[in-house]
Each structure stands twice: as C-alpha cells, then as structure tokens.
Amino acid sequence: MSGRSLSSLRASGLATAFPVGTQIKAAAGRQKAIDTWLNDFYLSSNPYVFATLYTEPIMDFLKMLELQEFLLSLNFSKILFKSDMNRKFCKPIKSFISTTVLTLTTIGINSAHAALIGNPIKLSEGTGYASDPSLAYNSIEQEYIAVWAYIESSQQGLVSQRFSTTGSLIEGNINLSRRYLGSQFQPVIAYNSTDNQYLVSFQVQGDPIFPFNNSVGQLLTADSKFIGDNFLISSAGQEISLLYNPEVNQYFQTARAFEPANRILGQRIKSDGTLINSNIRLDASGDGAPNGQVALDSVNNQYLATWREQGSSPKFTVQGRFINPDGRLISEQLEIVPPPDFKSGATPLSPIRTIFNPISKQFLIIYRNFEDPQIRGRFLDKSGTIIGSEIIVSSNVSYEFLSVAFNETLQTYLLAWINESGLIGQFIGTSGNLISDPFTIASEGNQIYDFSIVPNNDSAEFVIAWETQGSQKGQAGIFAQRINTSSSSIPEPSTILGIGIILAALPVLKKKYAMRNKKALAKV
C-alpha cells in the first residue's frame, strides 16, 4: 500500500477524525512527525515497532488534539480498521488506540485554550470620542487595517489605522473624512484581494450632499489613500454589512432603510465603485429590522443575507434569503429561527450574525434572545436546510453586541460578546461544540461597546478590535488584541494521569506481541 499524505487522508475522510490537523500542520516542526505518524500507521506491518518508534509523536499529537471534536466527530476505530491494512496486525494498534480513547473520554480533556498574543494594541490617537471599529486583513501585504468613527471638538469623521501581524502600528491614524458637515459613523470595511484595495461603507446624517441615513462608500489603496471621491451606495444605511466576492471581483452590501418603512436592501458594487443596477429588495414583505449580516458561500458562489422580521405575523423571527452574485434572488424568504415564546414586550432575536465555513460547507447563524438573554446558534446548509438542533453558547450576556468569525486554518469559530466582566471570547468547533471555556479579552465590561473580529488564515490567529470609553485616563479609544488557540499550557493533573495510563499500556503490548514480531524487528 502506498503512502498517503495528510491532504489525501483528509480527502478520504480519515483526517476528519483529527479536526486540528491543519492547526498542528501550522505549528513549526510538527508536519514531518504527523505525516510520518499517519503514513506509517497505514504502512507498518509491525505494530510494536510502530508504537515503539513513534510513541513520542503520537503522544504529542494526542495532546494537541481538540479532543471533544476528535471523539464526537467520527468513530475513530471504525474508520481506521475498515482500511485494507493487514488485519493480522490491527489488534495491538486497535488496543492502543482504544485505551487512549477510553482514557480521554473518561477524564474529559478539552485541549483548546485561548492565548492572548501580547498586550492590547491602542489604535486610536488623541482624546476624542472613538467608536464603531471595523477590521479587515490584507492577505497580500499581510497586515491589518481598522476603521472607526470619531468626534473631536466640533469635527466628526472617520479614521483608519494599519498595523502589522506582530501588532506594530504602521504609520499613524489617517483621516478618511472629505468634509466635516453632519455625521459619518458605523463604518464597515471589506478587503479586495484581487486589486489589493479596500471599500469602506458608512452611514451619513445631516450631510448637504448625501441624503439622511443613506450609506456612502470610499475606496482606499492598500496604504489607506483615497481612490476617487465618496459615492452614494444605497438609501439603506443602517446596520450595514459588506463583503467582497473574488469570484466576480465585486462587493455586495446589505443594510436597512427605514423610510417610508423598514426594509432590507442589497446592492452590488463593482471594484471601481460603480453601482451595478439598483437596490435589491431582500425582505419579501413586512417590517425587516434590524439587518443581520450577509455571508459569502465561497464554495457555491452565493450570498446568504439575514435579518429580523418584526412587523408581520409571526413577529420576531430570524429570516434569510439566498442571492446570486448576478443579483437574482435564488430562494424564497426563509424562516431560520421561529418566533420566540416571550412574555413581556421585549424584542428578542437580535443582533444576528452570519458566517460561512468552507470546510464544512455550512453557515452558522448566531443570535441573541433578549427575553432570556442567551447566545444561540443554528447551522444551515447551502439550500437553507437547518442542520441539527439549536445550540446555546452562553447565558451570561449583558449587552446587544455580538461578533463571530471563522478561521480556516484553525477550523474554529471565535465568538465574542460583552457581560459585566468585560469583552468575552469563546471558541466553537465546526460541529457547534464549545472547545474552550469562555475567556476575558478585555475588562471594564460596562465601558466596552461595539467590536469587530477578523480571521488571519495565514498565521492561524484572530484579531478583535473594540471600542472602550474607559473611566481612567488612557483607557478610552479603539484597541485591538491578537488571539489564537494554544495547547502549550501546563496540563491538568487528570491530563497527566491519562497520558500516564496510555504510556503504561505500551509495555503490555510489547510483551504480548514481541515474539510475534521478532522477525520483523530483526529487519528494522
């Protein structure tokens, strides 16, 4: 039997039993050990030699696994021993793995931990009021950019700041405002990887050129310089959601307009800022508010837009609709979450966040129930069919802000929210299982407001930027924090015990199978 690489094993289905294979692959010095481990597991006709020579990389591998997904995603032994490996030698290896899985199941290890990389990075300058940060990652320059709104003295406008993947600021704050008439706020930025540029969309009020509560765009170069002038995007300017589609080299935006009535509108935008036809009405009827988030299905090249329906019957449902990049509506309006059973006049199921996972080829919809303040989620497939049951992430939520992102390298979601302790993060696995304890990203919960998360698939990390109006000098402004998953922390005692039991099983295997493998050992 020929050797098989990690990528070919993933394609065959075996590597799905190792959900952090790509995470470990990204770790320096681990790729060779893992490839050897997987290849020799298939090639070896001598299980004792295999276990003796590769105990260390096996143990290293198991310690780094996200074991909840490892145990729940697939039945390891059934997959392994349906292979065409000589069954004569399966028993000792199967015994070894069974002992491992049994021990890990018993002690309930969860090896994913949050690692805050360095200290928080202060992005904003000056003493003015800074709010509404939005982030993007530039995969060509390998750097981040944040944009936000500010008020200082009598001036209101937008600012950008670039920073490196190590957290160093690149140049200083750059003013993105063309004029200082009226308000410009709630900016959202999207990165165009084809032309290496950005589009910033923002809401305006009181501007002498652009109508009240419309959305306005500004193209930027990779170094945050203007490309052309501001341009009107849409009459919808509230709760803006913006993405870039490299397949067609276009941007797509959804937002809410409230005059003459609430409605959710989509708009296609060429890479040069030219609008493609007019607004697309996404909500079929009723009173769509607020807007949720639009996500790109990069596998099937389609968009899923989400929002809350609050005016029609039934009220307060999460709705969605699929849109083709050419602007065609390719589905009817979908009810993703049914109306809640609430007792008061609260307004549940808001905000709504939508993200696509190209590995599992599914959407994750995250929302909050204000009546019973829990963060909940549902998975959808490419046609809008609900996958599995509703998941509950947290019940300790104090404010309405939520943000979620998916890192393809880590194959992990990062969800963030605010409670009285501060800005809180939670890693979620691809099947919806919680793979870490909630962790604090920033304290002063009653002073932290809107925030944004962006994944960096190149260096297997997330970055989150938030707005804080800290009570002490120097604490107010826009801050960012780099985050990744770590399994290098000191193991719990139960973990050490479990590994000890596994290692203790090896001499038993050795004694039992040494004679059978004597001839094979002589050849090594």
Side-chain angles (χ1 to χ4, degrees):
M1 181 178 178
S2 60
R4 303 170 69 185
S5 66
L6 184 60
S7 59
S8 66
L9 287 171
R10 182 179 297 113
S12 71
L14 174 66
T16 57
F18 305 98
V20 295
T22 50
Q23 176 185 349
I24 301 170
K25 182 176 179 180
R30 301 300 183 195
Q31 179 58 54
K32 184 176 180 180
I34 294 165
D35 279 343
T36 302
W37 192 91
L38 291 170
N39 286 330
D40 285 351
F41 207 96
Y42 271 86
L43 289 173
S44 176
S45 60
N46 189 319
Y48 169 68
V49 173
F50 169 79
T52 301
L53 294 180
Y54 299 108
T55 297
E56 184 176 352
I58 293 171
M59 292 301 102
D60 196 36
F61 180 76
L62 290 172
K63 283 189 289 183
M64 296 179 72
L65 283 173
E66 294 167 3
L67 291 171
Q68 284 188 349
E69 287 196 26
F70 167 74
L71 296 171
L72 294 175
S73 60
L74 289 171
N75 187 317
F76 179 90
S77 60
K78 285 185 179 179
I79 294 172
L80 179 63
F81 298 106
K82 285 182 180 177
S83 71
D84 58 356
M85 185 179 179
N86 188 336
R87 296 180 183 274
K88 177 180 177 182
F89 301 103
C90 285
K91 187 175 180 179
I93 300 179
K94 184 173 182 179
S95 176
F96 175 82
I97 295 298
S98 297
T99 303
T100 301
V101 173
L102 176 62
T103 303
L104 296 176
T105 305
T106 301
I107 64 178
I109 299 172
N110 188 331
S111 64
H113 304 278
L116 304 185
I117 308 172
N119 296 319
I121 309 157
K122 187 168 186 181
L123 302 179
S124 56
E125 300 171 353
T127 58
Y129 178 83
S131 64
D132 308 325
S134 179
L135 279 171
Y137 173 67
N138 186 320
S139 56
I140 295 177
E141 306 297 334
Q142 295 193 336
E143 64 185 36
Y144 302 99
I145 184 171
V147 296
W148 63 89
Y150 77 94
I151 301 174
E152 189 160 9
S153 299
S154 60
Q155 296 183 339
Q156 299 184 21
L158 307 177
V159 168
S160 71
Q161 176 65 60
R162 296 153 57 215
F163 56 104
S164 72
T165 53
T166 61
S168 301
L169 301 185
I170 302 173
E171 300 179 342
N173 289 181
I174 296 179
N175 195 319
L176 301 181
S177 300
R178 295 286 194 173
R179 53 192 172 277
Y180 298 102
L181 298 173
S183 300
Q184 305 171 20
F185 54 97
Q186 293 186 344
V188 179
I189 189 168
Y191 173 61
N192 176 338
S193 56
T194 303
D195 301 313
N196 195 24
Q197 64 183 31
Y198 305 99
L199 172 61
V200 179
S201 179
F202 52 95
Q203 184 179 351
V204 295
Q205 290 181 350
D207 191 287
I209 298 177
F210 301 114
F212 187 81
N213 274 343
N214 281 207
S215 55
V216 173
Q218 175 64 62
L219 291 171
L220 300 175
T221 62
D223 58 354
S224 201
K225 302 296 189 301
F226 292 123
I227 302 175
D229 203 349
N230 294 160
F231 60 94
L232 181 66
I233 293 179
S234 173
S235 59
Q238 294 184 297
E239 300 105 35
I240 297 169
S241 179
L242 179 69
L243 59 77
Y244 171 73
N245 184 347
E247 191 70 24
V248 293
N249 195 21
Q250 295 175 11
Y251 302 95
F252 187 71
Q253 173 181 292
T254 65
R256 175 171 63 97
F258 74 95
E259 292 180 341
N262 282 319
R263 59 200 189 279
I264 307 300
L265 303 179
Q267 179 63 59
R268 299 157 62 213
I269 309 162
K270 290 183 180 180
S271 60
D272 63 1
T274 304
L275 302 187
I276 305 173
N277 299 329
S278 57
N279 287 323
I280 306 165
R281 177 73 182 267
L282 300 180
D283 56 331
S285 62
D287 188 9
N291 185 42
Q293 185 175 5
V294 64
L296 169 64
D297 175 347
S298 56
V299 177
N300 300 290
N301 195 26
Q302 61 179 359
Y303 309 125
L304 174 61
T306 57
W307 64 91
R308 186 186 70 183
E309 182 62 54
Q310 68 175 18
S312 62
S313 181
K315 292 185 178 181
F316 305 125
T317 61
V318 175
Q319 300 285 320
R321 200 162 200 176
F322 287 98
I323 308 103
N324 191 286
D326 64 10
R328 290 181 293 114
L329 300 176
I330 55 178
S331 78
E332 298 297 325
Q333 187 166 311
L334 308 168
E335 183 179 272
I336 299 172
V337 181
D341 180 16
F342 58 94
K343 301 175 182 178
S344 70
T347 53
L349 300 175
S350 175
I352 302 159
R353 299 292 177 256
T354 310
I355 199 75
F356 181 72
N357 174 352
I359 309 299
S360 301
K361 302 178 184 178
Q362 61 189 20
F363 296 91
L364 174 60
I365 317 298
I366 294 288
Y367 46 93
R368 180 193 167 191
N369 187 337
F370 282 136
E371 176 68 13
D372 177 17
Q374 295 178 323
I375 300 176
R376 303 166 180 252
R378 283 190 183 274
F379 289 103
L380 269 68
D381 67 13
K382 65 179 181 180
S383 63
T385 302
I386 293 174
I387 303 171
S389 58
E390 185 180 57
I391 61 174
I392 297 179
V393 179
S394 174
S395 58
N396 186 16
V397 184
S398 305
Y399 302 96
E400 63 182 274
F401 303 107
L402 295 175
S403 188
V404 65
F406 179 74
N407 190 301
E408 296 179 27
T409 304
L410 296 175
Q411 296 190 37
T412 301
Y413 301 93
L414 173 60
L415 172 67
W417 66 90
I418 304 171
N419 64 22
E420 66 279 359
S421 299
L423 180 58
I424 307 300
Q426 171 74 66
F427 290 123
I428 304 175
T430 54
S431 60
N433 56 304
L434 308 185
I435 57 173
S436 74
D437 293 326
F439 56 93
T440 300
I441 300 170
S443 57
E444 287 205 353
N446 61 342
Q447 299 292 332
I448 297 174
Y449 297 94
D450 208 0
F451 47 89
S452 173
I453 307 174
V454 66
N456 179 344
N457 296 320
D458 295 330
S459 60
E461 69 179 28
F462 298 92
V463 168
I464 185 169
W466 67 92
E467 160 197 349
T468 180
Q469 304 304 322
S471 57
Q472 299 180 23
K473 184 177 180 180
Q475 289 183 334
I478 305 298
F479 291 80
Q481 177 69 59
R482 298 167 58 215
I483 305 170
N484 68 6
T485 59
S486 170
S487 12
S488 59
S489 57
I490 299 173
E492 295 293 328
S494 59
T495 305
I496 298 171
L497 173 63
I499 293 173
I501 294 172
I502 296 167
L503 291 173
L506 290 178
V508 177
L509 293 176
K510 177 180 178 181
K511 183 177 180 180
K512 187 174 182 179
Y513 295 100
M515 293 304 297
R516 181 180 298 179
N517 295 301
K518 185 175 181 181
K519 186 178 294 185
L521 282 169
K523 297 178 180 180
V524 176

